[in-house]
Amino acid sequence: MSIISTDLSKAIAILNKDALVAIPTETVYGLAGNIFSEKAIKSIFETKQRPFFNPLIVHIPSVDVLPDIVSYIPEKAQLLADAFWPGPLTLVLKKNSGIPDIITAGKDTVAVRIPNHPVALELLQRLDFPLAAPSANPFGSISPTTAQHVNDYFKDKIEMVLDGGPCQRGIESTIIGFENDEPIIYRLGSTSVEAIENIVGPISVKNRKQIAPDAPGMLDRHYAPKTETILVDDISEAIKKHKDKRIGILAINSPSEDDGIAFQIVLSEATDLQEAASKLYDALHQLDKHDLDIIIAERFPDFGLGKSINDRLQRATVRA
Ligand code: TXA
Ligand code: MG
């Protein structure tokens, strides 16, 4: 049976009794619970099979609530919040003492954002507490961008998926931390590096190894289909190399003519990076259902959202 519903009052009732609801955001669906309910937060970790050392993002309805969550806002954090909220940008800031340790994995910082989705915003406005919401997928697997994706993962484990349609952005929020008040990108995402640099000037991206002590959850293998996946510059060369396998193709803008292909998806005929990002995870979900031996994904140009898409595709290639 489906647990998908658009009933906002029902979602509020479930969250008020310390249970979980999967909620739509502009990036991906989140598995949401009351940040102040130990029961709810524990069940987020349990449901996702997520290790406790991986902290959660706190979702708030407006900047007015920010002082309840964080104790200090560097000037450049304020500029970024003004520029991108509500939107796909998460700020990691010094936490307010009222934020439970289980949310931050014991760290003195907390990740926070205002999602840009009308249903999520209305829900957050009508609740008396912010929502912790990691992506609504089992730890390490492909993030959900439709209510159906969440239903497929968790229909026996949670009571409800609040349906807000397919996610318009399709890749998780960009995460920015601060060191000596200077911003650093911790995770590439739906807000491009270039857009961020327009607001705060040149910014560096911490690679995963550098981040590991700060965000141990950012493991290499993430966003991964079950099918072996490779990321290549030249699709036709890769097809030749794997010709005795059942091949799936994930192409940027044009289909392959090769008849040795079992299934293929073109992400954006117009090479529109936002369109490609919004379709990326659904394409991986679909490819994973086709009993393929291998998924050959085409590398995107390394700018704008192309950088973020390549980051996710790169992680999809890491085997368990
Ligand atoms: O777009 C998004 O951000 C989605 C939607 C649902 O909002 N959420 C999401 O959450 O992607 P999740 O839990 O899948 O990823 C959160 C990331 C983790 O990699 C975690 O390590 C990092 O945020 N994080 C959370 N708190 C942190 C902190 N205090 N310091 C550094 N990294 C932190
Ligand atoms: Mg996730």
Side-chain angles (χ1 to χ4, degrees):
M1 208 193 73
S2 170
I3 53 167
I4 298 171
S5 159
T6 55
D7 187 344
L8 202 62
S9 306
K10 183 177 165 196
I12 290 168
I14 294 172
L15 290 163
N16 275 325
K17 61 165 197 187
D18 299 327
L20 307 183
V21 173
I23 62 163
T25 80
E26 79 280 35
T27 58
V28 301
Y29 275 73
L31 184 61
N34 175 357
I35 66 162
F36 298 118
S37 162
E38 193 178 320
K39 182 175 164 223
I41 301 307
K42 278 192 171 153
S43 70
I44 288 179
F45 283 96
E46 233 163 72
T47 306
K48 274 186 66 91
Q49 303 271 298
R50 177 177 175 123
F52 278 103
F53 60 70
N54 194 355
L56 304 175
I57 297 176
V58 172
H59 295 68
I60 57 174
S62 83
V63 279
D64 303 344
V65 184
L66 193 58
D68 298 341
I69 311 295
V70 309
S71 59
Y72 169 64
I73 306 171
E75 205 180 311
K76 288 187 177 172
Q78 190 63 54
L79 289 175
L80 290 166
D82 292 344
F84 295 112
W85 281 356
L89 182 81
T90 294
L91 298 175
V92 175
L93 300 170
K94 285 272 175 281
K95 78 171 193 135
N96 196 312
S97 57
I99 302 299
D101 278 341
I102 186 171
I103 299 287
T104 63
K107 294 151 65 65
D108 64 352
T109 53
V110 60
V112 58
R113 84 178 190 99
I114 305 177
N116 189 16
H117 190 292
V119 174
L121 286 171
E122 190 180 346
L123 176 66
L124 286 164
Q125 271 149 11
R126 286 174 59 182
L127 291 167
D128 294 331
F129 44 80
L131 292 173
S135 51
N137 52 285
F139 186 66
S141 58
I142 308 164
S143 298
T145 51
T146 65
Q148 190 61 46
H149 292 157
V150 185
N151 187 78
D152 293 348
Y153 281 139
F154 291 140
K155 62 176 179 302
D156 301 325
K157 297 209 160 80
I158 61 174
E159 287 175 55
M160 179 179 171
V161 183
L162 181 58
D163 193 354
C167 303
Q168 300 294 309
R169 296 303 200 110
I171 291 186
E172 292 81 352
S173 61
T174 302
I175 301 182
I176 294 192
F178 291 83
E179 290 173 18
N180 302 319
D181 286 356
E182 285 301 313
I184 295 174
I185 295 181
Y186 285 175
R187 177 177 75 181
L188 294 168
S190 272
T191 301
S192 71
V193 177
E194 291 86 343
I196 291 163
E197 289 187 328
N198 274 338
I199 305 296
V200 292
I203 188 166
S204 57
V205 181
K206 269 204 168 181
N207 70 36
R208 294 192 277 286
K209 299 264 163 358
Q210 287 169 315
I211 288 176
D214 284 324
M218 294 188 187
L219 306 174
D220 282 343
R221 183 183 147 80
H222 221 114
Y223 318 102
K226 295 189 190 79
T227 315
E228 181 186 355
T229 302
I230 59 171
L231 180 58
V232 304
D233 291 303
D234 186 335
I235 292 223
S236 31
E237 202 175 290
I239 293 173
K240 275 186 217 135
K241 208 163 144 193
H242 295 278
K243 63 177 182 319
D244 23 353
K245 295 185 183 158
R246 215 178 125 73
I247 293 176
I249 300 287
L250 184 59
I252 299 177
N253 52 20
S254 50
S256 289
E257 305 296 339
D258 200 298
D259 28 295
I261 297 168
F263 182 67
Q264 66 177 321
I265 293 180
V266 172
L267 285 172
S268 171
E269 277 172 26
T271 325
D272 174 337
L273 294 174
Q274 180 55 75
E275 182 188 17
S278 71
K279 292 183 179 168
L280 178 68
Y281 290 148
D282 185 63
L284 289 174
H285 280 281
Q286 284 189 51
L287 284 155
D288 222 9
K289 284 185 183 154
H290 276 77
D291 275 325
L292 303 165
D293 297 320
I294 192 163
I295 298 170
I296 300 173
E298 186 175 11
R299 193 188 314 278
F300 275 70
D302 199 38
F303 59 80
L305 291 178
K307 250 193 210 316
S308 307
I309 295 173
N310 285 338
D311 172 83
R312 299 304 191 268
L313 287 174
Q314 184 59 49
R315 296 192 208 205
T317 66
V318 180
R319 302 318 301 157

